[in-house]
Amino acid sequence: MGNSLVRAIVAATSLASFYLVFDSKAQADEWGCQVILCLSNPGGAMQYAECRPPINKLWRWLAKGRSFPTCRGVRFQSSRPGYDPYYCNEGFTLTSSFGSAGRVATCVSTSLQPVDRRFCSFRRDDNGGDHSSVLSPQLQREGGRSQCLAKVTSRPNIREQPHFIDVTVDGVGKQRVWY
């Protein structure tokens, strides 16, 4: 909670300095500065209606492979645009492998989970069950009983906005912006 408050204060101070440097009519017409100001907003780059046109223009600009716009007088760094279409729920890690269909993304649990005992069966007559939903099944004794545990796999979630850039303004902190 305290850490969030400090971040909010730092962000507000940073925004206040932008407003002092770029008052409403002074240099607010400089597109790069508008972009930096909007990206610095802790409430999100598109929170205010005034930010939507310059940010939408930024997304179109970056989608064409162009570099991040500049703003004189403001120290900032931006990464190259990135693309990360998948993500996993909490407790899972994104992995990828190559299969017959090409590259396949999968979410794998970060800890062992209880699974059906048939996954730990060493018999060949388990009705040909699909074991692709678990990795490394193993029997473990717990409280006098044996339990089948394994890393569970699931399909990854697909991001609505898979493109991103990382922006750092005046050393305040890195923010990943998805578009």
Side-chain angles (χ1 to χ4, degrees):
M1 175 86 174
N3 195 15
S4 297
L5 181 60
V6 169
R7 283 185 184 172
I9 291 171
V10 168
T13 305
S14 182
L15 280 175
S17 66
F18 279 123
Y19 284 117
L20 292 175
V21 172
F22 307 110
D23 67 8
S24 62
K25 296 186 182 175
Q27 296 190 16
D29 61 333
E30 211 176 308
W31 174 56
C33 295
Q34 292 173 337
V35 165
I36 295 300
L37 179 61
C38 294
L39 290 176
S40 301
N41 179 16
M46 305 276 271
Q47 180 180 9
Y48 298 108
E50 296 82 8
C51 284
R52 291 184 192 119
I55 294 299
N56 285 327
K57 180 179 176 182
L58 173 69
W59 302 152
R60 290 189 305 274
W61 182 265
L62 293 174
K64 293 177 183 177
R66 297 180 175 150
S67 62
F68 199 84
T70 60
C71 175
R72 286 177 278 129
V74 177
R75 293 178 309 159
F76 76 94
Q77 294 178 324
S78 67
S79 68
R80 301 194 86 149
Y83 179 74
D84 189 5
Y86 304 113
Y87 69 98
C88 297
N89 293 329
E90 191 173 329
F92 287 80
T93 302
L94 186 66
T95 62
S96 63
S97 60
F98 289 93
S100 60
R103 187 172 177 206
V104 178
T106 306
C107 295
V108 179
S109 63
T110 55
S111 61
L112 294 173
Q113 306 290 320
V115 295
D116 192 295
R117 286 187 67 87
R118 69 185 168 91
F119 290 114
C120 290
S121 173
F122 295 107
R123 298 180 313 181
R124 301 271 181 215
D125 62 344
D126 63 356
N127 298 327
D130 179 17
H131 290 233
S132 63
S133 61
V134 298
L135 300 174
S136 307
Q138 53 191 273
L139 279 173
Q140 288 189 358
R141 288 191 98 35
E142 206 172 287
R145 301 181 18 190
S146 62
Q147 186 176 25
C148 185
L149 300 173
K151 297 268 183 148
V152 179
T153 63
S154 67
R155 289 185 176 184
N157 300 307
I158 299 174
R159 293 184 199 282
E160 281 186 44
Q161 299 176 315
H163 299 275
F164 68 89
I165 54 171
D166 293 324
V167 179
T168 305
V169 180
D170 280 335
V172 171
K174 189 187 297 186
Q175 177 181 354
R176 179 159 284 180
V177 181
W178 295 93
Y179 64 97

